[in-house]
Amino acid sequence: EAAVTQSPRNKVAVTGGKVTLSCNQTNNHNNMYWYRQDTGHGLRLIHYSYGAGSTEKGDIPDGYKASRPSQENFSLILELATPSQTSVYFCASGDLQGDAEQFFGPGTRLTVL
Amino acid sequence: QQQVRQSSQSLTVWEGETAILNCSYENSAFDYFPWYQQFPGEGPALLIAIRSVSDKKEDGRFTIFFNKREKNLSLHIKDSQPGDSATYFCAASGTNAYKVIFGKGTHLHVLP
């Protein structure tokens, strides 16, 4: 059974609209991460969290907010979506240290028109 | 500034050959180097990893060769199979770091 799930799997949004991407993990990991994947850029870290109630900025946080209401759930919020945010978004969970394996979800394909 | 660099965006080999994927890094504080494998439509998954105290890590057909002095490493896939066709990400982190730095990925095509 998948330990990291994401919803929705596909989303089409309009420019200026609000988008919320959700992630749930059953690994009981403290750390969770949001990445976006674009051709030519690989995986880029948007936000991450050490545990419930914490969110930290990653390498490309502009235009995104994050929320970690519980150990299991981590959301990525686009308050005012723009076409440049069209991408595939991955959530991951991992243990405390950076040298621990990260477990990725299946991804959400977001298209902003 | 790209901290983890993969030398090839794409690599094509024939079935049975050894595929070699190269990676270099800039930060001397990195001491853990995982390689992730990603199939189309899926999230990346850890394939094999090495710590900087070692110069080689082997797991079946997959081997990492690591050169700390030169700050580079390579993933060798022996006897490549069409099922190995995927994107491979080289990554790096420090022992006490909370995040992993990923390279841009190498798309491997194994032709039958």
Side-chain angles (χ1 to χ4, degrees):
Chain A
E1 189 170 342
V4 181
T5 56
Q6 296 182 231
S7 63
R9 293 295 313 279
N10 291 280
K11 173 76 177 177
V12 178
V14 295
T15 297
K18 181 177 180 178
V19 176
T20 299
L21 307 182
S22 299
C23 177
N24 177 275
Q25 57 107 353
T26 57
N27 296 319
N28 198 32
H29 286 151
N30 287 300
N31 289 5
M32 295 188 74
Y33 308 83
W34 275 107
Y35 296 90
R36 64 177 284 176
Q37 183 175 19
D38 304 283
T39 302
H41 290 278
L43 289 162
R44 292 183 291 174
L45 182 65
I46 306 170
H47 283 287
Y48 60 104
S49 168
Y50 301 141
S54 91
T55 60
E56 304 291 333
K57 292 181 179 179
D59 299 319
I60 52 163
D62 293 346
Y64 302 93
K65 288 170 57 176
S67 173
R68 182 87 181 271
S70 65
Q71 177 85 341
E72 297 79 20
N73 295 294
F74 191 37
S75 297
L76 185 68
I77 303 150
L78 290 67
E79 294 278 5
L80 295 169
T82 69
S84 65
Q85 294 175 313
T86 293
S87 186
V88 180
Y89 292 85
F90 288 98
C91 174
S93 74
D95 250 326
L96 282 176
Q97 303 298 328
D99 60 352
E101 178 178 358
Q102 291 192 14
F103 295 83
F104 284 80
T108 294
R109 183 173 295 277
L110 173 66
T111 303
V112 183
L113 302 175
Chain B
Q1 186 180 4
Q2 197 177 339
Q3 295 194 61
V4 177
R5 187 183 302 272
Q6 295 184 245
S7 59
S8 301
Q9 192 171 349
S10 182
L11 175 67
T12 300
V13 299
W14 292 101
E15 182 176 359
E17 292 184 334
T18 296
I20 300 174
L21 290 70
N22 295 308
C23 178
S24 61
Y25 64 97
E26 297 179 357
N27 191 338
S28 300
F30 290 151
D31 59 5
Y32 174 71
F33 302 88
W35 285 84
Y36 281 78
Q37 179 187 54
Q38 183 184 31
F39 294 107
E42 299 180 8
L46 180 67
L47 177 65
I48 186 172
I50 192 168
R51 296 188 185 279
S52 60
V53 293
S54 302
D55 56 14
K56 181 180 175 182
K57 177 72 176 291
E58 192 168 354
D59 185 356
R61 296 186 295 111
F62 301 92
T63 303
I64 299 174
F65 292 93
F66 179 73
N67 186 323
K68 187 171 183 176
R69 186 167 53 90
E70 299 293 328
K71 293 185 187 171
N72 61 46
L73 61 157
S74 60
L75 173 67
H76 291 226
I77 306 175
K78 193 167 43 177
D79 187 24
S80 295
Q81 302 296 310
D84 296 329
S85 297
T87 299
Y88 292 81
F89 291 99
C90 175
S93 75
T95 302
N96 295 316
Y98 285 89
K99 61 179 186 177
V100 172
I101 309 299
F102 287 88
K104 292 185 178 182
T106 296
H107 193 177
L108 175 67
H109 305 262
V110 181
L111 302 176

